[in-house]
Amino acid sequence: MANFLLRRLAMMILTMLCASFLVFAICEFTPGSVARKSLGPFATQQQVDLLTEKLKANDPLLVRYGRWLGVLVGAIPDPLQDPATGLNFKDPRGAQYFGNFGYSTLNKLPVNDVIWDRLGNTAILAGLAFLLIVPLSIIFGVLSGLKEGGVLDRTLSVICITFTSIPEFASGVFLVTLFVILWPILPGTSPLNSDGGWAVPYQFVLPVAVLVIYDFGYVARMIRVSMIGVMERPYIRTAILKGMSTRRMVLSHALRNAMIAPFTVLLLQINFLISGVVVTELVFAYPGFGRLILEASLFGDMATLEAATLITVAVAVVTQLLGDLGYMLLDPRIRVR
Amino acid sequence: MDKTQHTYIPTLVDEMSSGAIGRRDFLRKATLLGLSAAAAYSMAGVAMPGVGVQAEDMPKGGNLRIGMRCMEIKDPHLADFAEKSNVIRQVCEYLTFTDRNNITHPYLLEKWEASDDLKTWTLHIRKDVKWRKGGRPLTADDVVWNLKRVSDPNVGSSVLGLFTGYLVQEYETGEKDEKGNTKKSSKLWADNAIEKVDDYTVRLNCFAPQIAVPEHLYHYPMFILDPADNGAFGPDANGTGPFEMTEYTVGKGAKYKARTDYWGTGPYLDTFEYVDLGDNPGAGIAAMASKQVDGLSEADAVQINSMKNFPHVAVYQVETTQTVVARMHPDTEQFKDKRVRQAMRYAIDRDKVIQTALLGAGAPAEDHHVAPSHPEYAALPKYPRDIEKAKKLLADAGYPDGFEFDMVTRPDPIWELNTAQVLAQQFADIGVKINIKALPSAQYWEVWTTAPFSLTAWGHRPLAIMTLSLAYRSNAAWNESNYSNPDFDKLLTEAEGILDPNERSKVMAKIEAIMQEDGPIVQPFWRVFSTVMDKKVKGFELHPSQYIFAHQYAISA
């Protein structure tokens, strides 16, 4: 087991290195330099050239990537914070420490000061949505999979497909029109402060609703297919012929086997919820991780983008690991050698 | 009459009574020359604006929330967006104040005096202004420190560009850059250019006459900061302003608490707040609908349309000299012939652009970047759409079948992209195929001076000579169109030193004609600026520069 975890950890680090290098290389092709972005649009070319020189931003790609890695692991200080640049960029943690994601040229703050708050906000939003998506999709999926083609199956399937096919911006606008403008019982934006006359919990209702509406139908469809497969298995037929109640048959025989495949799908939703909530966050002015990634990529804020990539890859790899461990619990045939 | 009064003021009075200049021109000139606004308004025989509402009538207390982007701010003297200056403005103040009618008043100054040759400006500082921290009075030392700081090229304030030509001189450093060009820098032209006379008096000794000094002192980064802060800004920053900032988070918002010992009138609010609603225009509408904010710093035509039916919302509009220019680099192959540039101007139907891109909220412009509301504006014959003429000009220039070109622009705000699209369609009518390359704002500002053809928004400025010298004088820092015309430069310098509005208008007519004949821009419109406020907000006036003055606003229960 320890061996298995170690191997996975090594894989995880390798994946993150590859991903971060890819992002680093892709950023090469976006217009604009770090120096220009640090100084703002109205700086003169002379100032930009001077800073480019000081930051050694004209070095080859690999050299700069190596430097970035060095800053991340705390081997060298962040060049942007060097007082010689005259940028007045300061990090209270110092310029050299492990986990130094560098300096955000967009926010003019250390990335560590920006990213964790935003990630926390999105984690709350995603967590709430996930808590609703799991039971809803299981109930919908199991009920429609119990009797394929029945009235219940068709009704639930129509609901699931309709909801999933409405894009988030459309359902967002629709819900705002309904519950903010026509029947004003909810706030239209979620800046997460209570000064707007609406308590913070109310501000979660609409964004969570949009995410749940968009996502649960898809997962329910996955569970439905798996459930149909399980229902055709001989041991279920035996159970039914024995006269076992549907309730007991589903809970103690079918559900566990029916959840093996959809389990991965469910865990994948965590990835989607962390990095894919951009639209919802934009519609509701929610100060989250998705909006940060969007703004950072539009601006070409390398340091923030790199940090965000590492975090999303880490989330993906960890959920994958959880998925594999979950498989072992659900399916006794899978065991680590 | 007061002895310190500028000798030109009696002439202005004569000109006004003979009808040679309008009342508004008189007010502008007389106040710029140091006459108090109250005296100027009384000489002009019109009521002074803003005196209708007495301070005692304003409701007291409460919290006001305005939706606005909250960007990173490090140094107030480097503020480069109106939004940033709005955050700082509640804490730090200006020496002068240009109102929404383009009349400039004293602010931290009690008054100013200009010498007859407009080369010596004496600034008298108010004696009742106190810094929030320590209760120390504002002194000449503070003001001198600030004026010198913005004149330092190492600080990089855009005020430097305005001061260049009368306080600041460019010089060659003697070093060469990679291309072998001599590097240039700038410095104050003399040691006593900015001089402390006594504790409450500062004198500007200029090497060239300049009429727009008081207006330059109101350029949006020209804040008076506490020298002890050394340009740093944050919740702890000192200021003479009406509020103390208690919280600031980039991308989230700013919070303020009213000062009880503010020297001026107001503030009426207890607390004031900006809420960052992001880039999605729908969020502004939703926040207004659910009353999470009491107003927005700006609302575009589409937002206004969807909000004007909300019973609690009032719409504000003001004509501005905000505009957008499609500018061509005259040093590129296609645009080097001035007939091509003229053809581009003849190709567009201004009314249609205004209708489509601004939903009607604009007024046609005449391609010379001088607005009818600018005091130096001279009316020239209109520039109509003329496809035949445009095609002939193109053919004469060697492009009988037109040509294809990329135009760089940005998708946000949306009216800019819409304008680019309408213009591209209209250029197609004369055979010029324009491919729109929309870059995100941040990337657009990387290339805004280097792209051969681009669409750039320009902000409001009270005087046309300010914009023209920033944007079209040869080698100016913000000369995005690489335009260089010695005749134009000469006339512009001449106009900057002419006091008489009529004489200045005559020179401006020549400048405008050069721009229409030879200039690098197609300028479709002047924008009407608009926003929304909850009806319970009192004392709000929309300023064409998008400036927010929270200490003038109140909230009724």
Side-chain angles (χ1 to χ4, degrees), chain B residues 52 77 102 132 206 290 316 358 376 382 446 476 495 536 538:
Chain B
H77 283 160
N102 271 345
R132 178 177 64 80
C206 317
S290 48
Y316 293 82
L358 301 181
E376 55 269 75
K382 295 278 175 225
E446 301 267 337
K536 70 184 182 186
K538 304 291 170 205

Side-chain angles (χ1 to χ4, degrees), chain A residues 177-196:
Chain A
T177 313
L178 213 60
F179 295 109
V180 176
I181 294 173
L182 294 178
W183 188 35
I185 55 162
L186 286 170
T189 57
S190 311
L192 297 193
N193 55 18
S194 47
D195 310 316

Side-chain angles (χ1 to χ4, degrees), chain B residues 202-463:
Chain B
V202 173
R203 190 170 289 143
L204 305 182
N205 298 302
C206 317
F207 64 88
Q210 176 58 258
I211 176 69
V213 171
E215 273 153 343
H216 290 173
L217 296 178
Y218 190 59
H219 183 46
Y220 57 101
M222 191 52 254
F223 292 104
I224 297 301
L225 314 174
D226 183 355
D229 284 348
N230 199 21
F233 187 78
D236 193 40
N238 199 5
T240 58
F243 289 90
E244 171 184 357
M245 187 156 85
T246 53
E247 208 181 305
Y248 188 70
T249 316
V250 173
K252 193 150 187 264
K255 291 183 182 178
Y256 302 88
K257 195 173 77 187
R259 256 178 83 174
T260 47
D261 56 344
Y262 179 56
W263 62 271
T265 50
Y268 309 110
L269 303 164
D270 291 333
T271 50
F272 174 68
E273 189 178 329
Y274 290 115
V275 182
D276 191 318
L277 297 170
D279 271 334
N280 168 30
I285 303 172
M288 282 304 285
S290 48
K291 301 188 183 174
Q292 286 175 298
V293 292
D294 305 305
L296 302 177
S297 72
E298 176 178 7
D300 65 28
V302 178
Q303 286 178 306
I304 297 277
N305 270 351
S306 44
M307 279 185 281
K308 65 185 177 201
N309 294 326
F310 294 171
H312 66 287
V313 167
V315 174
Y316 293 82
Q317 290 189 313
V318 63
E319 269 189 37
T320 68
T321 63
Q322 288 186 30
T323 183
V324 74
V325 299
R327 99 282 179 289
M328 302 159 263
H329 273 181
D331 40 18
T332 52
E333 175 64 33
Q334 283 87 344
F335 294 126
K336 71 174 182 219
D337 192 317
K338 72 175 180 187
R339 285 173 296 193
V340 175
R341 307 199 292 269
Q342 283 169 12
M344 300 292 274
R345 290 193 269 274
Y346 278 116
I348 68 164
D349 180 339
R350 286 149 218 276
D351 289 324
K352 215 168 236 169
V353 183
I354 294 167
Q355 275 312 320
T356 322
L358 301 181
L359 302 179
E366 294 153 6
D367 306 313
H368 46 55
H369 218 145
V370 182
S373 61
H374 280 140
E376 55 269 75
Y377 174 79
L380 296 186
K382 295 278 175 225
Y383 222 71
R385 182 176 217 219
D386 193 335
I387 298 290
E388 288 317 308
K389 194 165 179 178
K391 280 185 171 163
K392 188 170 177 306
L393 283 164
L394 272 185
D396 292 348
Y399 296 100
D401 304 319
F403 56 89
E404 194 171 335
F405 214 85
D406 289 347
M407 175 159 73
V408 182
T409 180
R410 51 187 190 143
D412 148 54
I414 190 70
W415 63 265
E416 278 185 38
L417 186 59
N418 290 344
T419 306
Q421 282 164 346
V422 184
L423 289 179
Q425 274 175 20
Q426 298 187 347
F427 290 141
D429 292 346
I430 61 165
V432 177
K433 185 167 181 284
I434 296 298
N435 307 311
I436 297 173
K437 298 270 181 262
L439 295 177
S441 291
Q443 293 182 359
Y444 177 78
W445 294 119
E446 301 267 337
V447 298
W448 76 291
T449 53
T450 50
F453 187 38
S454 84
L455 191 78
T456 309
W458 279 84
H460 172 87
R461 283 181 184 78
L463 295 177

